Amino acid sequence: MLHNGSRYYQAWPQDEADNRRLMLKPLDMPVHIIAQAQLFDTFLAALRDAAPHATGSPVEGVGHWLLHEAPGRVLTEIRTFFGYQL
């Protein structure tokens, strides 16, 4: 199990090379990120390296488990992003 778990880290250099190559042509599709407020600016800045027009919303008072800690907020963000009205 430890052997397979370390594959994530062993693949990191190739992932970085692939991402650099793929980011030469930025995404032009709509991209929206929601993340905990403390990390939001960092995540959005990194995302805009690949999707320059990305939008996002910080969520206060949540930690690592955003979907479990703020399910209503996540659902609202998804519905708003896709233009879904009840």
Side-chain angles (χ1 to χ4, degrees):
M1 180 144 178
L2 288 175
H3 173 75
N4 290 333
S6 70
R7 295 286 187 215
Y8 172 79
Y9 300 102
Q10 291 171 350
W12 203 307
Q14 185 62 52
D15 288 346
E16 286 182 350
D18 291 343
N19 286 337
R20 269 198 276 328
R21 179 180 49 80
L22 292 168
M23 286 172 30
L24 292 174
K25 183 179 184 307
L27 295 174
D28 57 5
M29 63 187 208
V31 176
H32 186 79
I33 185 173
I34 52 176
Q36 59 179 284
Q38 299 90 322
L39 299 174
F40 176 77
D41 290 336
T42 301
F43 286 173
L44 184 60
L47 179 60
R48 284 188 173 157
D49 286 344
H53 303 292
T55 59
S57 298
V59 181
E60 297 285 345
V62 298
H64 188 73
W65 306 109
L66 186 66
L67 290 171
H68 295 282
E69 296 173 39
R73 175 67 186 274
V74 172
L75 187 56
T76 297
E77 291 291 331
I78 291 169
R79 286 181 171 156
T80 301
F81 180 72
F82 287 104
Y84 179 79
Q85 302 297 322
L86 290 175

